[in-house]
Amino acid sequence: MTAPAPRPSRKILGRLSLPERNFVANALRTETVGGVLLLVAAVTALIWANTAGGSYESVRGFHLGPSSLGLDLSIQHWAADGLLAVFFFVAGIELKRELVAGDLRDPKAAALPVIAALCGMAAPALVYVLTNAFGGGSMAGWAVPTATDIAFALAVLAVIGTSLPSALRAFLLTLAVVDDLFAILIIAVFFTSDLNFPALGGAVLGLAVFWLLLRKRVRGWYIYVPLALAIWGLMYNSGIHATIAGVAMGLMLRCHKEDESEQHSPGEHIEHLVRPLSAGLAVPLFALFSAGVSVAGGALGDVFTQPETLGVVLGLVVGKAVGIFGGTWLAARFTKAELNDDLAWPDVFAVASLAGIGFTVSLLIGELAFTEDPVLTDEIKAAVLMGSLIAAVLSGILLKVRNAKYRKLWEDEERDEDLSGVPDIYELEDPEYHRRMAAIYEKKAAEHRRLAEVSGGEREDGNGPA
């Protein structure tokens, strides 16, 4: 009896489907621009905070807003609680899309990024806890090094000029989406103050109305924007961090197309409109009013002497890289999946190191974890900056070593010799493409034969073609 043929092993980090590749390319293009603005905002904040006397503290501590609604907030709080709600709204849409139309819709495909992301959050938290357990520090900041900042990471890629293949970029993006989900859960569960149940009830009611309007296909920004602002204000006053409102509304949007006549789902359309606002304005302004810490008197060097700050640095640099790499390797090992033939495990480690850039959400969690100690809050922020910088330099070196290989893979993915608008590597799998190319080659061959006959006739009599 003939033995059954062995089932082909599943490849991990293989080439994306064409629609997924196009989506990832568009999303990362906006995030890269936003990441560069984020870098500029962070540098500006550091220069402003260390050269302009007390003006930085005066500006970000300036209060405005209606106190009767419980919204008399400092500019720093408006940036953290208000503008970041836009960032988390986009994160909610991204998560919903991944669950219904992206890599996370297939449990087998979702296992790898989910396991990698979970290990990439658990390992930094463990590193922080161990560092502070032996050093006698505070455990309150365990969640600070668990976050990845995709925009900052992509800005680093843009600066060092590496050309990651789309599979690695998509892996990084999916990691960040799952990372954001668990960061949201951490904020909601561990950083919720005393609950105001009437305000929470109002926020839940507002979300129910938001969902019902979406279900009824009601259109008009003039309806949704005021409703979203009301939900945000109620969520802020409820004691739950206001960014949760943004995530909840993002998750409610429909992110799948109902029929072929629908070019984009409502979620994709709204994400296309809001993502530039998030990446280009909301996150850079948050960085501007949060990243300004004093570096005078060796403050950055001091991050290596305190258990809390050292735990953050080690968590970002060591915990993230080891956690994500280890989670990916274990997922491949126990599912018997094989790494894409074009890549090697050092490539996975380099991307894992890049994920150690934890800026935006790490700064936010740092503010929430040590809200009663402003001095330690600034020291934690300095640790986030230092850890992210070290992770950026380390990953930059590792990626540069393999940049020639990445560039070749990227060029192969982008090559479009027939100018069809579809990369040739995808068309090679399409029978219609082969028929079209065969016709083109036959036409060229016929033209070459005709020219050969003409030139041959001229050589025979010297007086032109026969």
Side-chain angles (χ1 to χ4, degrees):
M1 183 175 179
T2 305
R7 297 176 64 181
S9 60
R10 187 169 59 87
K11 297 289 184 181
I12 61 174
L13 299 181
R15 191 170 71 249
L16 305 177
S17 66
L18 183 59
E20 188 69 11
R21 170 197 171 276
N22 292 338
F23 174 82
V24 168
N26 292 332
L28 296 185
R29 192 176 298 115
T30 304
E31 291 287 3
T32 302
V33 174
V36 174
L37 293 175
L38 185 60
L39 280 171
V40 172
V43 172
T44 301
L46 286 170
I47 294 173
W48 186 7
N50 288 277
T51 60
S55 66
Y56 180 78
E57 291 294 338
S58 298
V59 171
R60 74 174 181 176
F62 182 78
H63 278 244
L64 69 160
S67 56
S68 59
L69 298 177
L71 297 175
D72 181 19
L73 310 177
S74 67
I75 288 180
Q76 182 179 6
H77 277 104
W78 276 113
D81 294 272
L83 291 177
L84 279 194
V86 179
F87 166 79
F88 280 107
F89 174 69
V90 174
I93 299 176
E94 288 176 340
L95 177 61
K96 179 67 173 290
R97 186 202 163 275
E98 288 290 333
L99 289 170
V100 301
D103 288 342
L104 300 183
R105 74 184 185 280
D106 178 6
K108 290 183 179 179
L112 174 66
V114 170
I115 293 172
L118 284 173
C119 292
M121 298 187 81
L126 180 61
V127 169
Y128 179 93
V129 168
L130 291 175
T131 304
N132 283 268
F134 289 108
S138 170
M139 296 294 180
W142 65 270
V144 175
T146 60
T148 294
D149 194 311
I150 183 65
F152 217 136
L154 292 171
V156 170
L157 291 180
V159 169
I160 65 176
T162 191
S163 303
L164 279 187
S166 60
L168 285 178
R169 288 178 179 262
F171 179 59
L172 184 60
L173 179 61
T174 307
L175 272 178
V177 170
V178 179
D179 196 295
D180 285 342
L181 167 64
F182 288 103
I184 291 159
L185 293 175
I186 288 172
I187 291 171
V189 174
F190 295 99
F191 298 104
T192 295
S193 56
D194 295 334
L195 289 177
N196 180 334
F197 287 101
L200 180 59
V204 172
L205 179 61
L207 288 170
V209 172
F210 189 89
W211 178 82
L212 185 62
L213 292 174
L214 291 173
R215 293 280 293 178
K216 295 295 184 181
R217 303 288 197 274
V218 176
R219 298 189 177 187
W221 64 266
Y222 46 84
I223 297 174
Y224 289 101
V225 171
L227 178 59
L229 290 174
I231 293 170
W232 174 86
L234 289 165
M235 189 69 75
Y236 177 83
N237 281 286
S238 73
I240 296 176
H241 200 269
T243 53
I244 304 300
V247 175
M249 287 183 280
L251 287 171
M252 289 182 182
L253 293 174
R254 176 167 61 84
C255 292
H256 65 277
K257 293 186 287 187
E258 291 189 328
D259 53 59
E260 292 300 323
S261 64
E262 193 174 39
Q263 188 174 5
H264 299 289
S265 67
E268 290 173 320
H269 176 67
I270 293 173
E271 182 187 17
H272 180 73
L273 295 175
V274 179
R275 184 185 285 275
L277 176 64
S278 169
L281 181 66
V283 175
L285 281 178
F286 167 76
L288 180 64
F289 293 113
S290 292
V293 295
S294 174
V295 294
L300 289 181
D302 291 343
V303 301
F304 299 103
T305 62
Q306 296 185 79
E308 294 90 350
T309 51
L310 180 60
V312 170
V313 173
L314 292 178
L316 289 172
V317 177
V318 179
K320 271 290 182 183
V322 172
I324 292 174
F325 178 82
T328 306
W329 185 86
L330 287 173
R333 174 71 177 81
F334 288 104
T335 60
K336 297 184 178 179
E338 294 181 1
L339 189 64
N340 179 12
D341 295 335
D342 293 326
L343 300 173
W345 283 109
D347 299 319
V348 179
F349 186 80
V351 172
S353 300
L354 189 64
I357 302 174
F359 189 74
T360 305
V361 179
S362 289
L363 289 176
L364 174 62
I365 295 177
E367 291 181 357
L368 296 174
F370 299 101
T371 185
E372 301 299 328
D373 190 342
V375 174
L376 187 53
T377 298
D378 280 350
E379 292 170 345
I380 289 293
K381 288 181 180 180
V384 170
L385 294 174
M386 181 61 74
S388 297
L389 177 62
I390 295 172
V393 172
L394 174 62
S395 60
I397 294 171
L398 294 175
L399 291 170
K400 268 299 185 182
V401 170
R402 293 270 290 171
N403 195 43
K405 176 68 173 179
Y406 296 150
R407 182 164 294 278
K408 183 180 183 304
L409 292 173
W410 183 81
E411 288 173 351
D412 289 343
E413 289 180 359
E414 297 296 319
R415 187 174 293 112
D416 183 18
E417 292 183 352
D418 63 345
L419 303 178
S420 65
V422 177
D424 296 339
I425 199 168
Y426 289 95
E427 291 186 312
L428 287 171
E429 301 169 355
D430 181 6
E432 180 59 34
Y433 168 77
H434 290 285
R435 286 193 291 269
R436 187 168 71 250
M437 293 303 295
I440 292 173
Y441 288 138
E442 178 57 35
K443 184 177 180 180
K444 288 182 177 180
E447 182 66 17
H448 283 306
R449 287 195 296 270
R450 188 185 68 79
L451 292 174
E453 290 172 359
V454 170
S455 61
E458 288 178 344
R459 285 193 295 272
E460 286 177 7
D461 59 17
N463 295 315

